[in-house]
Amino acid sequence: GVLQYARLFFVYRAGDFRVDLRYNRAPMSSPRIKLTDPHHIDHVKAFYANIAGIDLAQYPYFIRVYQLFDACQREIFEEGRHGGPYESVLDVGCGEGYHTFYAARFAKHVTGLDVSPDALALAERRGARERVSNVTFVCSDLTNPSLPDRAFDCVVAYGDVIGHIPDYDAALKQLSRLCRPGALLVLDYDNKFHPGLLWDTEERRAARAERDRGHTHAWSFRGRQLEFNTFARQEMRDLLARHGFQLERTYGFDFFSFLIPHPERYQFSERIGLGTRAVMGLNRLDLAWRRWWPVNRWAYTQIGFARKTA
């Protein structure tokens, strides 16, 4: 264990990495720093159109990560650990409305924003079926949403929303515009440095660029590949501060699971075997330790709780 942490510290000090997480071992041809193609959002739309309506609960990873999201939602809307109560909530990257409808039980009004019309069509059908009257869905890119200034006192963005967007600086500028002073912003993003780097010699050799700036990684799901941005710890803190947000705390997920080589081969399996159950057990430890070091510092997935200060 001491040797592993020493190696991880060396990796961190050595420099930047292009991390290809390789769910199903999807290769990338060369290291790249950040998404730059403004048309990448079209790939995002196509990717989520392809998986719209799929029961993600059959995959062990999604079982656990949605338990994490549920825990955060309870803290925000039921337990009041992050202020509140909140009246006007924005769910960014709402997809089929899972978090939107949860928040609607506690907030006066909830707006679900997403780029995928296919996912939003499913969300709207659910809203009509369940006769939910305090939810509105908007199909828009976060970099240019047609929503009024200072409309929200709480924004949640689960599912790597910021990582999907090449111009994430513009997206955060818009979130700053949409948030009232004192508003809560909760977003999850992929951590640049995590224990999975310990097992990949190729990734350690790729340490050539800035250590304080994130990189691009790719993953594949059901035969389609999508790329994401990752973020270094101080990079995200500075990015939020530049747009008037103060990062108050972070939670982590996928730390203990990444202490074994390539856990994704179990996390995205449709068969729940012994190895899969073992990795699910490690992810359960992630959930229990999400607030504390080393999980909240070195875990692959980070959830940041930030406050609008200006």
Side-chain angles (χ1 to χ4, degrees), residues 226-262:
L226 189 63
E227 296 180 24
F228 295 79
N229 286 322
T230 70
F231 297 88
R233 179 182 177 85
Q234 191 61 44
E235 177 189 19
M236 178 56 71
R237 188 179 295 275
D238 292 344
L239 182 63
L240 289 168
R242 185 160 66 248
H243 294 288
F245 293 99
Q246 181 178 354
L247 186 62
E248 296 182 337
R249 70 189 71 184
T250 57
Y251 290 171
F253 181 76
D254 254 353
F255 174 84
F256 290 109
S257 58
F258 271 66
L259 293 176
I260 66 172
H262 306 296

Side-chain angles (χ1 to χ4, degrees), residues 11-134:
V11 164
Y12 172 71
R13 298 299 298 179
D16 198 2
F17 290 80
R18 181 272 301 166
V19 174
D20 171 7
L21 187 57
R22 298 183 208 168
Y23 298 143
N24 301 333
R25 308 304 293 164
M28 292 184 69
S29 59
S30 61
R32 289 196 287 171
I33 305 301
K34 299 294 191 185
L35 298 170
T36 58
D37 182 4
H39 299 293
H40 176 73
I41 199 68
D42 295 328
H43 298 292
V44 175
K45 290 179 183 178
F47 182 88
Y48 283 101
N50 185 61
I51 67 172
I54 293 174
D55 180 14
L56 297 179
Q58 66 182 303
Y59 296 95
Y61 175 79
F62 291 109
I63 292 171
R64 287 289 184 251
V65 80
Y66 269 82
Q67 288 175 350
L68 170 66
F69 295 154
D70 287 346
C72 292
Q73 292 287 78
R74 285 194 302 272
E75 289 186 8
I76 296 165
F77 297 110
E78 297 184 53
E79 300 170 7
R81 293 192 184 189
H82 307 278
Y86 297 105
E87 292 188 355
S88 184
V89 177
L90 176 64
D91 180 11
V92 181
C94 65
E96 298 171 28
Y98 180 87
H99 305 297
T100 313
F101 291 113
Y102 184 103
R105 294 161 48 197
F106 305 96
K108 184 176 180 180
H109 190 269
V110 183
T111 300
L113 181 78
D114 203 281
V115 296
S116 171
D118 301 271
L120 289 179
L122 293 172
E124 288 175 341
R125 284 202 290 270
R126 175 182 170 183
R129 185 173 62 251
E130 299 181 5
R131 298 184 179 181
V132 179
S133 60
N134 64 333

Side-chain angles (χ1 to χ4, degrees), residues 255-303:
F255 174 84
F256 290 109
S257 58
F258 271 66
L259 293 176
I260 66 172
H262 306 296
E264 64 275 6
R265 66 185 186 273
Y266 301 110
Q267 292 172 319
F268 289 87
S269 171
E270 296 182 20
R271 296 176 59 252
I272 309 287
L274 183 61
T276 299
R277 292 184 186 279
V279 172
M280 292 181 74
L282 293 173
N283 279 144
R284 187 182 290 275
L285 283 178
D286 289 321
L287 292 174
W289 281 83
R290 64 184 181 274
R291 300 184 184 95
W292 300 298
W293 193 91
V295 177
N296 68 351
R297 175 63 181 87
W298 296 105
Y300 176 74
T301 295
Q302 300 280 294
I303 296 185

